[in-house]
């Protein structure tokens, strides 16, 4: 049964309508793995002012909504859109994702779909005499009665008037579609490489929002109505696998024909045959659904499909519906009903059907055979079955073993087993019977609140165990109850109470397991108390009353703890306040320590009963953290869940049974009220107990004595068990010993045989009573109660080994009258006597028992297996497990014990056995591995036993050979669920963990790939986790990838558990601590606290969850691989909201939440140019990314030729110096530039500055040469200036005000060759801001003709753009200008530079310059002074401007400067016409023209 994760649902009064009936028309498309359909809802308004109808709907696309046939406006936003994580989120933003997920799982008060009633629809009031009005009044009354928390209202006139006011129902029709399914529906067998038969089924969950993932509804477990379901499906398997998608019929969808479902995962246009034969493709598709089938017709619009109709006769909630579609075979389990039962039940005999995939019908018959008998038992002892029939459907990839829906149980194929498998009979039968019992408790009635979940669980499991008692016997029933009680005592430590456990079941699966274990056992001890003290029918009658009331229309179907308590007190005729306070509302279990003494003077038995569960020694139980429960402890700690306090004292009646000297048991009922209880129990018998010699003589004399036959018969009935192996020959052969004479004398003086505490099993506790050993032996041999025998064996096994205890254990094993559970418990006690001090007596007895029962004669050769006797088979499996526990004083398994397993595996013969030996063989393999692991720890130490070393090597070789042999056999002849291979993998894991073999990743990874059997994959993944390979990035990535990408929800759930187990291993420090270094004896004693502190940290990690989490973060929390893999897993589109939340919790385990988002900007790209001819150039962005900024290199300083002109000298002819680049990063012609556009500037550049007049200028470049890529400098110079988004490409000087009111103008002119380009119009800077010099970079010649728009170099820095940077190509040069043309350089990806002012770059007319003048540099001091006078900062060593130094500081290279007397003469005109850079800060140059618009 799925975990109950309900939240307090809104009451009925929160809605202004009641849901009366709902119908579904569904069309399941196997090709697109989608669902389309319509739903019609009949609602009963409770108020005339109803205007909006809130509904739950998730994962759906709403096509249309109609109210009473009219289109209605609606508001809908799919809540699953919250699962689409933003790209800006990282692993440290996990809390944002959690905030979006929690409402999906806990139930959000706000509706998902809000429908507005059209104005033309009126709510009509009906007469109270109409049928609909009576039904509405009945619904109100039923829901009011079911709300036990509400205070009953006084029936005043207003309430009567409200009940009499009824309104006509409204019909709401919604057309919807479900695609990209995350939750609610599971398709199997449709992925590539999956050879299983295709089928689909619903994934029912009990948490809020599970049902509305498939269709709009009121997803509330408290809202129940009548249902009619019509499902359209393909007729045959071949029709389901057709590639072409047929348009859905209007009867099921009502969708537009243009809306097509998503395509199938395969791409071929032909039918997808899935590797199936023609016969398999003709298999009929069967639809199994909740409710009774009413009709099956062929779809009138599509002859390849059929429509199957179902009707639910009982009112149900939306999450109680389920269906499955596939090529199922039908098995009639009603045929196994006995004839007398069929005649006795008559019409009440409900039919039982089973459905399975082809080829598994025989397994279903063998597995589900008892189901017909179980439903008859429930009908006879409780009430009739609540539905017309019961159906079971066995499916693949089911997450849990069973899923409960109305009249239908979805079961996993993992439960099926053939006729030759006998081990899982009881466990599988209990799960299947519990699924049937849940139809009563879980479907017919449900918990009213999460705290009441224990009632539903307890009733279902109590009903299940009652049937198993009739099926398997009373001894099996009581024995299992005893085992469950002991298990509860061990688990119920620091856990919530049974009542509060329902609130934390969503935290971990272990909470649900504890609920299922404890709830049924609590009802068992309640039944014991009711039947003994009140003489009532017990809990069975209480359950019958509750089930009967739930079926009636006038009663509520919601059970509460208070109602269950009230019914129990009424039918049990006793108050149960104390019982419920201790076992339902309280936590923990009592631990009793009992001392007893016989007072001869008073003839009473003085007893002292102490409860020690709150003592410090008892609190040490279970405090150590366990890797299996690490995630549960973390989640509980994160959610602030605090375990209920352990009660200091339990109170209630207890039955004490004293077997007195005459053999008569006397029962005394005492009342336990306090922590310490002292009692005086009267003694009744005046005779001494019979001596053992007298008893032995009577047994021997029974066959030949006729006179005292009657007297001896009574004595024999008392001493009936454990009297085997009594002859002297057998005692000698078996090395048995009896009590010594001293003990015999003490036995003869005792006044009673033994004392039995809690004889009627009314407590879940641990009972520790102080009695002599012979009293426990008497209880073992004389008490017929299987629980009493088991308790005596528990005491004997826990004692220190001696010569006497093995004798009684051996006789118990060899006596076939004992229950098989008692015999196997005795086997578990013999290894404690296998000691050197006792001459290996326990080992001798185990080998002797195995030889006597399963070997040929007196030889060690085993007979052919015969498992027809199940009790003997269980012993045959228990003895090897006991042998594997034998150790020498050094902790090593003896050689003969190890050889025992090798021989049994080698000579195992199962040819003549009717049953499979896979469980027996796997037991031998696992036990043999235990001895290898135990022995190797000592063999690594230096040993002087050469013979032992040789034997150990030979044994290891033989053992590995046997493991490998069975693994290979399993590949050719598969065992049941591949048990041989799975066990072999587990054995190799343990051997590798013990460093006996070298672990190879390939040996385990080959089983983890998709397509392998689920058990093998999980075994391989467990190896990767436990071998510390979780620290490997590759393994960590693989496990998280499998967790998020596997199509099977069963595999995803188990991989999550394995991953949590691996984290627990790292957190608590297993396999983390290196062995301490050997201390060096120097004769000095050094006291230090380092080792003590380290040891304290290790202990703290194993006991404190906070320390464990800190250690886990230190070990693997800082790895980037973990963060990336975790976040990729969270973003998987296959995960359901619950699975996503689990992974988000793991993210919260490692990373603290961070309320910031990471902004990612697109890196700039390189650009390429293409000459289109006619002076046109096409610029295109390349995918190549530039990750480093471009650098600036200048080999010659810039000279100043005039007061307002900066001139760069001409470079020497050879070698050609690198060119410079001007970066433009502002909008051009009104179009934003994606990245800084860099324009290469060759040598011969001159710059002039003048006050700009406008703020907008243009750049115009024209050339006719073909574009070529720019060369990249081989090495960046040291004196370079880097252009980054933070550092503009043009350095910004300190602003200096100008005298003129008109803003200065900046003109940049580029002169290429002899081409005369018109100058662009000047631009103006903002007032009072100085122009910014231009930074140059080495580059090649200019690109062909192009005209660029405006650029603003003085505006504030913009955000970093996401587009790539522009590039430039090489310009054409003549032979004379080849030296000045520059080298080829590959253009880097420039970063966008924030503009500091606006500039216009144009190609000026060619001017004549003198070569000598152009090559003569100007002094640096004069250049710096000139730059300052012109509003520019001083230049650096390369002539480039640098920002001024801060006040109070002086540059190291700063020297006095002087004003230039005259500008330098103009340079001589070059043959090729060089490139000129002119900064004009004055008036507009004469002859300047506007540049042509950009191409």
């Amino acid at each position: 049964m799925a975990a109950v994760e309900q939240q307090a649902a809104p009451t009925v009064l929160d809605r202004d309508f009641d849901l009366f009936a709902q119908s579904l028309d569904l069309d399941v498309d196997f090709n697109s793995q989608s669902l389309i359909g319509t739903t019609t809802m009949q609602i009963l308004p409770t108020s005339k002012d109803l205007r909006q109808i809130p509904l739950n709907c998730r994962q759906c696309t709403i096509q249309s909504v109609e109210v009473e046939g009219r289109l209605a406006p609606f508001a809908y936003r799919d809540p699953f859109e919250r699962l689409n994580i933003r790209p800006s989120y990282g692993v440290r933003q996990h809390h944002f994702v959690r905030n979006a997920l929690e409402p999906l799982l806990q139930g959000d008060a706000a509706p998902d779909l809000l429908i507005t009633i059209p104005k033309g629809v009126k709510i009509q009031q009906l007469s109270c005499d109409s049928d609909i009005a009576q039904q509405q009044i009945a619904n109100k009354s039923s829901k009011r009665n079911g709300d036990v928390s509400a205070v009953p209202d006084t029936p005043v006139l207003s309430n009567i008037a409200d009940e009499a006011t009824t309104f006509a129902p409204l019909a709401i029709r919604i057309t919807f579609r479900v695609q990209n399914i995350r939750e609610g529906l599971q398709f199997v067998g449709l992925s590539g490489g999956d050879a299983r038969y295709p089928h689909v089924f619903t994934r029912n969950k009990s948490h809020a929002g599970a049902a509305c993932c498939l269709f709009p509804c009121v997803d509330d477990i408290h809202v129940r109505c009548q249902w009619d379901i019509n499902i359209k499906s393909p007729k045959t398997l071949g029709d389901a696998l057709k590639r072409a998608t047929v348009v859905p019929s209007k009867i099921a969808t009502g969708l537009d024909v243009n809306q097509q479902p998503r395509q199938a995962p395969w791409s071929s246009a032909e039918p997808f045959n899935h590797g199936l034969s023609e016969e398999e493709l003709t298999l009929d598709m069967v639809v199994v659904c909740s409710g009774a089938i009413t009709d099956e017709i062929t779809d009138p619009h599509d002859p390849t499909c059929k429509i199957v109709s179902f009707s639910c006769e009982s009112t149900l909630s939306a999450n109680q519906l389920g269906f499955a579609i596939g090529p199922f075979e039908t098995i009639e389990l009603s045929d196994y009903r006995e004839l007398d039962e069929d005649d006795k039940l008559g019409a009440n005999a409900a039919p039982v059907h089973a459905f399975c995939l082809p080829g598994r019908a025989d397994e279903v018959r063998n597995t589900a055979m008892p189901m017909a008998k179980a439903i008859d038992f429930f009908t006879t002892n409780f009430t009739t079955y609540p539905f017309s029939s019961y159906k079971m459907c066995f499916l693949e990839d089911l997450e849990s073993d069973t899923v409960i829906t109305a009249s239908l149980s979805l079961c996993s194929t993992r439960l099926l087993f053939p006729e030759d498998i006998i081990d899982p009979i009881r466990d599988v039968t209990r799960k299947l019977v519990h699924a049937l019992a849940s139809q009563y408790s879980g479907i017919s009635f449900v918990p009213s609140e999460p705290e009441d979940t224990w009632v539903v669980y307890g009733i279902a499991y109590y009903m299940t165990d009652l049937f198993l008692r009739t099926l398997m016997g009373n001894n099996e029933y009581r024995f299992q109850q005893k085992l469950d009680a002991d298990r509860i005592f061990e688990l119920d430590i620091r856990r919530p109470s049974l009542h509060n456990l329902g609130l934390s079941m969503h935290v971990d699966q272990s909470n649900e397991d504890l609920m299922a274990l404890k709830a049924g056992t609590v009802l068992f001890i309640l039944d014991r108390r009711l039947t003994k003290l009140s003489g009532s029918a017990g809990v069975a009658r209480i359950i019958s009353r509750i089930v009967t009331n739930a079926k009636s229309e006038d009663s509520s179907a919601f059970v509460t703890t208070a109602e269950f308590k009230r019914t129990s007190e009424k039918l049990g005729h006793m108050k149960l306040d104390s019982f419920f306070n201790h076992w339902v509302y309280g936590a923990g279990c009592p631990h009793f320590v009992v001392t007893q003494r016989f007072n001869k003077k008073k003839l009473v038995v003085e007893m002292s009963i102490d409860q020690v569960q709150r003592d410090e020694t008892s609190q040490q139980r279970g405090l150590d953290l366990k890797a299996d429960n690490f995630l549960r402890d973390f989640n509980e700690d994160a959610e602030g869940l605090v375990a209920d306090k352990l009660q200091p004292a339990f109170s209630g009646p207890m039955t004490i049974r004293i077997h007195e000297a005459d053999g008569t048991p006397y029962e005394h009922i005492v009342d336990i009220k306090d922590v310490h209880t002292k009692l005086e129990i009267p003694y009744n018998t005046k005779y001494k107990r019979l001596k053992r010699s007298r008893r032995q003589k009577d047994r021997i004399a029974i066959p030949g004595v006729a006179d005292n036959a009657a007297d001896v018969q009574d004595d024999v009935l008392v001493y009936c068990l454990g009297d085997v192996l009594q002859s002297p020959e057998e005692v000698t052969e078996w090395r048995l010993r009896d009590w010594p004479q001293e003990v015999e004398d003490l036995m003869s003086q005792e006044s009673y045989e033994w004392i039995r505490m809690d004889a009627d099993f009314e407590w879940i506790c641990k009972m520790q009573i102080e009695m002599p050993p012979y009293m426990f032996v008497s209880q073992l041999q004389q008490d017929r109660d299987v629980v009493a025998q088991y308790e005596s064996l528990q005491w004997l096994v826990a004692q220190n080994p001696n010569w006497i205890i093995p004798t009684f254990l051996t006789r118990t094993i060899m006596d076939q009258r004992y229950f098989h559970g008692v015999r196997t418990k005795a086997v578990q006690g013999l290894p404690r006597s296998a000691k050197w001090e006792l001459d290996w007596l326990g080992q001798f007895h185990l080998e002797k028992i195995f030889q006597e029962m399963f070997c040929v004669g007196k030889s060690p050769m085993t007979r052919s297996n015969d498992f027809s006797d199940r009790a003997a088979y269980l012993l045959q499996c228990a003895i090897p497990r006991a042998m594997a526990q034998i150790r020498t004083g050094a902790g090593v398994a003896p050689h003969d014990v190890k050889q025992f397993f090798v021989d049994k595996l080698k000579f195992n013969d199962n040819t003549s056995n009717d049953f499979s030996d896979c469980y027996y063989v796997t037991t031998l393999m696992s036990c043999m591995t235990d001895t290898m692991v135990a022995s190797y720890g000592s063999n690594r130490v230096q040993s002087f036993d050469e013979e032992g070393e040789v034997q150990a090597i030979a044994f290891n070789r033989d053992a590995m050979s046997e493991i490998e042999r069975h693994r290979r056999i399993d590949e050719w002849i598969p065992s049941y669920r591949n048990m041989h291979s799975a066990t072999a993998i587990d054995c190799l894991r343990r051997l590798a963990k013990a460093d006996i073999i070298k672990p190879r990743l390939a040996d385990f990874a080959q089983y983890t790939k998709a397509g392998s059997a689920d058990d093998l994959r999980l075994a391989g993944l467990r190896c990767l986790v436990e071998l510390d390979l979780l620290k490997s990035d590759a393994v960590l990535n693989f496990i998280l990838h499998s967790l998020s990408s596997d199509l099977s929800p069963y595999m995803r759930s188990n991989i999550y558990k394995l991953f949590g187990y691996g984290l627990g291993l790292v957190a608590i420090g297993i396999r983390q601590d290196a062995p301490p270094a050997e201390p060096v004896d120097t004769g000095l004693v050094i006291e230090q606290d380092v080792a003590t502190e380290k040891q304290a940290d290790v202990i703290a990690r194993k006991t404190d969850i906070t320390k464990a989490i800190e250690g886990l973060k230190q070990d693997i929390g800082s790895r980037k691989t973990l963060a990336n893999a975790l976040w990729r897993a969270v973003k998987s589109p296959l995960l359901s909201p619950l699975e996503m939340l689990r992974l988000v919790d793991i993210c919260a385990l490692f990373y603290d939440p961070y309320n910031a988002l990471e902004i990612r900007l697109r890196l700039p790209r390189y650009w390429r140019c293409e000459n289109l001819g006619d002076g046109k150039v096409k610029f295109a962005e390349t995918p190549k990314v530039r990750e480093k900024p471009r650098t600036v290199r200048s080999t010659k300083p810039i000279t100043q030729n005039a007061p307002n002109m900066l001139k760069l000298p001409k470079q020497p002819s050879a070698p050609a110096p690198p060119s410079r680049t001007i970066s433009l990063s502002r909008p051009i012609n009104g179009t934003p530039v994606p990245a800084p556009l860099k324009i290469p500037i060759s040598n011969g550049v001159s710059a002039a500055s003048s006050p700009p007049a406008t703020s907008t200028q243009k750049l115009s470049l024209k050339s006719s040469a073909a574009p070529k890529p720019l060369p990249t400098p081989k090495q960046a110079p040291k004196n370079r200036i880097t252009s980054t988004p933070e550092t503009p490409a043009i350095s910004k000087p300190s602003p200096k005000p100008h005298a003129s009111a008109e803003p200065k103008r900046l003109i940049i002119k580029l002169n290429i060759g002899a081409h005369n380009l018109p100058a662009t119009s000047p631009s103006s800077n903002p007032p009072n801001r100085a122009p910014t010099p231009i930074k140059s970079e080495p580059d090649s010649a200019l690109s062909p003709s192009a005209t660029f728009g405006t650029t603003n170099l003085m505006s504030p820095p913009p955000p970093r753009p996401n587009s790539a940077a522009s590039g430039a190509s090489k310009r054409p040069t003549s032979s004379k200008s080849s030296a000045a043309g520059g080298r080829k350089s590959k253009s880097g990806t420039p970063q966008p530079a924030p503009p500091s002012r606006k500039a216009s770059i144009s190609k000026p007319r060619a001017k004549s310059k003198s070569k000598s003048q152009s090559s003569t540099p100007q002094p640096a001091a004069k250049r710096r002074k000139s730059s300052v006078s012109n509003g520019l900062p001083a230049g650096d060593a390369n002539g480039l401007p640098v920002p001024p130094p801060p006040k109070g500081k002086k540059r190291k290279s700063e020297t006095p400067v002087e004003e230039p007397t005259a500008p330098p003469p103009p340079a001589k005109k070059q043959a090729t016409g060089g490139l000129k850079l002119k900064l004009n800060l004055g008036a507009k140059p004469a002859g300047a023209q506007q540049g042509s618009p950009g191409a």
Side-chain angles (χ1 to χ4, degrees), residues 694-714:
R694 163 78 177 279
R695 185 172 71 249
Q696 180 68 19
K697 293 178 181 178
D698 292 342
R699 272 199 301 271
I700 297 174
I702 288 173
V705 178
D707 297 337
N708 58 351
D711 298 336
V712 175
Q713 184 177 3
D714 295 338

Side-chain angles (χ1 to χ4, degrees), residues 355-427:
F355 301 88
C356 67
L357 295 172
R360 313 203 70 171
D362 292 337
E363 295 181 2
V364 172
R365 293 188 182 95
N366 180 74
T367 304
M369 184 186 302
M371 298 310 299
K373 187 175 182 179
I375 199 171
D376 295 343
F377 174 82
F378 293 153
T379 302
T380 303
N381 293 273
F382 300 102
T383 187
T384 57
Y385 181 67
F387 304 100
S388 59
S389 64
Y390 179 63
K391 299 177 286 291
M392 306 170 61
C393 189
F394 291 88
L395 306 162
E396 300 280 353
D397 286 349
L398 202 64
E399 183 174 355
S400 57
D401 291 333
T402 56
V403 174
I404 314 302
T405 63
S407 73
L408 170 65
S409 295
L410 305 179
C411 307
S412 173
T413 53
R414 299 184 298 271
L415 299 177
L416 298 178
F417 58 91
E419 295 181 353
D420 59 346
I421 300 296
I422 60 178
D423 291 74
I425 287 179
R426 185 190 178 277
D427 295 337

Side-chain angles (χ1 to χ4, degrees), residues 926 929 981-991 1004 1019 1022-1023:
S926 180
T929 306
S981 296
T983 306
I985 296 172
D986 185 71
C987 293
L988 295 177
R989 171 188 62 82
R990 293 161 62 189
L991 294 176
F1004 306 123
R1022 187 179 183 88
C1023 295

Side-chain angles (χ1 to χ4, degrees), residues 563-813:
E563 180 184 356
F564 180 79
K565 176 176 175 290
R566 184 168 55 252
T567 305
S568 302
E569 291 176 344
K570 181 179 180 180
L571 299 180
H573 308 290
M574 62 180 299
K575 289 294 183 180
L576 298 174
D577 294 337
S578 177
F579 180 87
F580 274 77
N581 290 335
H582 290 310
W583 301 108
V584 177
Y585 300 107
C589 299
H591 181 191
F592 294 107
V593 176
V594 182
T595 58
Q596 54 82 29
R597 185 179 69 89
F598 180 69
N599 192 330
K600 295 183 180 180
K601 294 181 180 181
K602 297 182 180 181
L603 288 179
V604 296
V605 179
E606 299 176 347
M607 301 187 67
S608 175
I609 304 176
D610 299 329
Q611 300 186 41
V612 298
Q613 61 267 15
R614 291 295 298 270
D615 292 350
E616 182 179 358
T617 55
S618 299
Q619 287 301 303
Q620 297 302 320
R621 298 182 297 113
L623 287 183
D624 290 344
L625 298 176
K626 297 181 180 179
D628 295 330
N629 300 328
F630 173 73
L631 286 183
R632 183 198 69 185
D633 296 336
F634 163 73
N635 291 332
E636 291 180 349
D637 183 71
E639 295 189 11
L641 298 178
V642 180
D644 295 330
K645 294 182 179 180
L646 183 63
Q647 303 171 77
F650 287 75
S651 61
M654 179 180 292
T655 301
I656 301 176
R657 183 179 300 165
I658 301 178
H659 293 256
E660 298 187 2
D662 61 350
T664 305
Y666 292 91
E667 292 188 355
H668 307 272
I669 300 177
V670 299
D671 195 9
I672 307 297
K673 296 182 179 180
D674 204 350
V675 177
H676 305 286
T677 304
K678 291 187 177 182
L679 305 171
E680 290 185 355
I681 301 176
Y683 186 74
N684 300 285
T685 305
K686 298 180 180 179
Y687 302 97
K688 298 293 184 181
R689 73 187 298 272
L690 298 177
K691 293 183 180 181
R692 183 173 181 83
S693 58
R694 163 78 177 279
R695 185 172 71 249
Q696 180 68 19
K697 293 178 181 178
D698 292 342
R699 272 199 301 271
I700 297 174
I702 288 173
V705 178
D707 297 337
N708 58 351
D711 298 336
V712 175
Q713 184 177 3
D714 295 338
D715 187 55
V716 171
L717 290 177
V718 175
Y719 309 102
C720 60
L721 298 176
D723 55 355
V724 297
L725 305 178
Q726 296 288 345
S727 65
E729 295 80 7
E730 292 174 336
V731 170
T732 304
E733 180 183 358
W734 286 79
R735 296 168 57 182
L736 303 178
R737 295 192 181 187
D738 211 334
W739 298 110
Q741 187 61 39
E742 297 81 5
V743 178
E744 288 281 354
D745 296 340
L746 292 175
M747 293 169 59
S748 62
Q749 297 176 5
E750 292 291 347
S751 300
Y752 44 84
E753 296 283 344
W754 72 92
I755 298 177
R756 172 89 186 280
M757 303 296 297
D758 189 24
D760 287 338
F761 205 161
E762 305 170 54
W763 293 75
I764 304 175
C765 64
K766 180 178 181 181
M767 189 67 65
Q768 182 179 347
I769 182 172
E770 296 181 2
M771 289 193 307
Y774 49 79
M775 287 191 177
F776 286 100
V777 174
S778 299
Q779 178 177 328
L780 172 64
Q781 295 178 344
Q782 301 177 32
D783 202 321
R784 298 174 180 272
D785 186 6
V786 64
V787 176
Q789 298 167 5
Y790 184 80
E791 289 176 346
S792 62
L793 281 177
Q794 282 182 313
W795 187 90
L796 292 174
V797 169
Q799 301 306 306
N800 293 327
N802 53 55
W803 294 95
I804 304 298
I805 292 179
T807 298
F808 297 106
L809 296 179
T810 302
R811 286 173 174 165
T812 301
I813 298 170

Side-chain angles (χ1 to χ4, degrees), residues 922-933:
T922 55
T923 300
L924 293 176
M925 295 170 61
S926 180
C927 294
M928 181 178 63
T929 306
D930 290 340
T931 59
M932 294 178 64
V933 172

Side-chain angles (χ1 to χ4, degrees), residues 304-599:
T304 63
C305 296
K306 61 182 178 181
I307 300 176
V308 187
S309 302
F310 298 87
S311 177
C312 299
E313 56 272 19
S314 303
T315 58
L316 302 170
S317 60
N319 63 347
Q320 292 178 340
L321 302 177
F323 66 87
I325 305 175
F328 302 127
E329 296 182 6
T330 305
I331 299 96
E332 292 292 339
L333 297 178
S334 301
D335 298 340
Y336 294 96
R337 177 179 284 120
E338 298 178 1
L339 296 179
D340 55 346
E341 291 291 337
D342 199 359
D343 297 338
K344 183 172 69 174
L345 295 175
N348 292 330
V352 183
H353 311 283
F355 301 88
C356 67
L357 295 172
R360 313 203 70 171
D362 292 337
E363 295 181 2
V364 172
R365 293 188 182 95
N366 180 74
T367 304
M369 184 186 302
M371 298 310 299
K373 187 175 182 179
I375 199 171
D376 295 343
F377 174 82
F378 293 153
T379 302
T380 303
N381 293 273
F382 300 102
T383 187
T384 57
Y385 181 67
F387 304 100
S388 59
S389 64
Y390 179 63
K391 299 177 286 291
M392 306 170 61
C393 189
F394 291 88
L395 306 162
E396 300 280 353
D397 286 349
L398 202 64
E399 183 174 355
S400 57
D401 291 333
T402 56
V403 174
I404 314 302
T405 63
S407 73
L408 170 65
S409 295
L410 305 179
C411 307
S412 173
T413 53
R414 299 184 298 271
L415 299 177
L416 298 178
F417 58 91
E419 295 181 353
D420 59 346
I421 300 296
I422 60 178
D423 291 74
I425 287 179
R426 185 190 178 277
D427 295 337
V428 171
T429 303
R430 189 170 189 262
K431 292 178 181 179
L432 296 180
V433 175
H434 173 262
L436 174 60
S438 298
Q439 298 294 326
Y440 294 88
S441 179
I443 299 296
S444 183
F445 60 88
V446 295
S448 179
E449 299 293 339
E451 295 90 339
D452 306 319
T453 306
W454 78 271
V455 181
V456 176
Y457 271 69
I459 291 177
Y461 278 102
Y462 183 79
M463 295 172 62
T464 302
D465 292 336
L466 283 183
F467 170 72
L468 292 180
R469 182 175 64 178
T470 63
L471 186 67
M472 300 182 178
N474 189 62
N475 281 344
E476 179 75 23
Y477 173 69
R478 290 182 60 85
F479 182 74
Q480 292 297 331
Q481 292 293 338
K482 175 61 179 175
L483 295 181
D484 292 345
D486 293 345
R487 183 65 177 162
I488 293 171
F489 179 81
E490 297 296 332
L491 293 178
D492 197 3
I493 304 171
R494 299 187 303 177
R495 309 303 306 145
S497 64
L498 196 58
H499 185 260
N500 295 332
L501 196 60
L503 297 173
S504 60
M505 293 182 63
H506 64 281
V507 175
D508 193 77
Q509 179 67 27
S510 60
N511 291 337
E512 182 185 357
D513 298 338
L514 180 59
M515 170 78 76
L517 182 65
K518 187 176 181 180
T521 309
V522 167
L523 292 189
F524 168 76
I525 64 174
L526 175 62
D527 177 76
R528 302 300 300 168
R529 292 193 181 186
L530 291 178
T531 54
K532 181 174 183 178
L533 298 180
S534 64
S536 63
V539 176
R541 185 182 176 187
I542 301 172
I543 296 175
S544 179
R545 175 68 61 87
I546 295 176
V547 174
T548 304
N549 293 340
K551 292 181 61 178
S552 62
E553 298 180 358
D554 297 334
S555 178
S556 173
F558 314 119
V559 65
T560 63
T561 303
E563 180 184 356
F564 180 79
K565 176 176 175 290
R566 184 168 55 252
T567 305
S568 302
E569 291 176 344
K570 181 179 180 180
L571 299 180
H573 308 290
M574 62 180 299
K575 289 294 183 180
L576 298 174
D577 294 337
S578 177
F579 180 87
F580 274 77
N581 290 335
H582 290 310
W583 301 108
V584 177
Y585 300 107
C589 299
H591 181 191
F592 294 107
V593 176
V594 182
T595 58
Q596 54 82 29
R597 185 179 69 89
F598 180 69
N599 192 330

Side-chain angles (χ1 to χ4, degrees), residues 811-832:
R811 286 173 174 165
T812 301
I813 298 170
M814 296 302 296
D815 193 346
Q816 299 181 4
R817 294 170 294 179
Y818 277 107
F819 180 66
H820 67 81
V822 176
R823 299 172 70 185
T824 54
K825 182 63 177 178
V827 170
Q828 298 174 9
L830 284 177
R832 292 180 57 86

